Amino acid sequence: MNGRAWEYADLSAIAELERECFSDPWNLRMLAESFLSGHFYGSLLEEGGAITAYGGIGIVEDEAEIQLIATAEMYRRCGRGRKIMEDLLEEAKKRGVKRVFLEVRVSNSSAIMLYLTSGFRGLYARSRYYPDGEDAVVMVKELG
């Protein structure tokens, strides 16, 4: 397992994995816009040349948002999501971030457990946040 920062050439493979993992995936354009924004850091894990997990964080001044995080289905529950989360939070600390936010589907218990065990806590719910009408939980982690 090899970990590294995203490169522009990775975006197509990440978009493909997004489609496999989510009902409302980020498309290639959305990924490229975030990647090129100057406020974004992406981390990924590879195995045999294939991306097995990835995540991205947007950072503006002393706040950040985990924008996406996913693991290919056959590699779930092996610590890859946790490794990505640790890398994103480490990068946020290096850049002086004091508070990290994220949104998660209320039905995504695996992700919620990852976030809770990574030190996030729930703040509030956003009703009908997702295109299919599902609510989101907004979570925060204090770094500073």
Side-chain angles (χ1 to χ4, degrees):
M1 178 171 48
N2 177 43
R4 63 174 175 81
W6 290 19
E7 297 172 1
Y8 190 80
D10 298 320
L11 296 181
S12 291
I14 291 168
E16 185 177 324
L17 193 49
E18 266 287 293
R19 286 189 300 276
E20 292 173 16
C21 292
F22 299 107
S23 60
D24 58 338
W26 283 37
N27 61 40
L28 183 58
R29 180 177 164 201
M30 295 164 71
L31 291 165
E33 286 174 354
S34 286
F35 179 79
L36 297 171
S37 73
H39 301 284
F40 182 85
Y41 172 77
S43 175
L44 62 79
L45 296 173
E46 295 176 300
E47 194 154 322
I51 296 171
T52 60
Y54 62 90
I57 188 169
I59 301 170
V60 178
E61 297 184 16
D62 67 346
E63 291 191 344
E65 179 183 10
I66 303 288
Q67 295 178 333
L68 47 124
I69 188 165
T71 302
E73 188 171 358
M74 71 181 286
Y75 293 98
R76 291 182 186 156
R77 307 225 190 287
C78 299
R80 284 173 171 78
R82 182 165 311 285
K83 173 79 173 100
I84 293 292
M85 178 62 76
E86 289 169 357
D87 191 44
L88 296 176
L89 293 174
E90 184 60 34
E91 184 66 22
K93 286 178 192 175
K94 286 180 191 173
R95 296 190 190 191
V97 168
K98 298 199 181 330
R99 201 173 301 97
V100 180
F101 295 91
L102 61 81
E103 292 101 10
V104 60
R105 286 179 176 271
V106 295
S107 65
N108 194 342
S109 57
S110 297
I112 291 170
M113 285 306 301
L114 170 64
Y115 303 148
L116 289 171
T117 59
S118 296
F120 284 83
R121 62 180 172 80
L123 280 180
Y124 56 88
R126 286 192 172 152
S127 295
R128 304 185 59 77
Y129 179 75
Y130 291 99
D132 63 2
E134 186 171 358
D135 295 348
V137 176
V138 176
M139 302 181 83
V140 66
K141 178 180 173 89
E142 304 288 338
L143 299 180

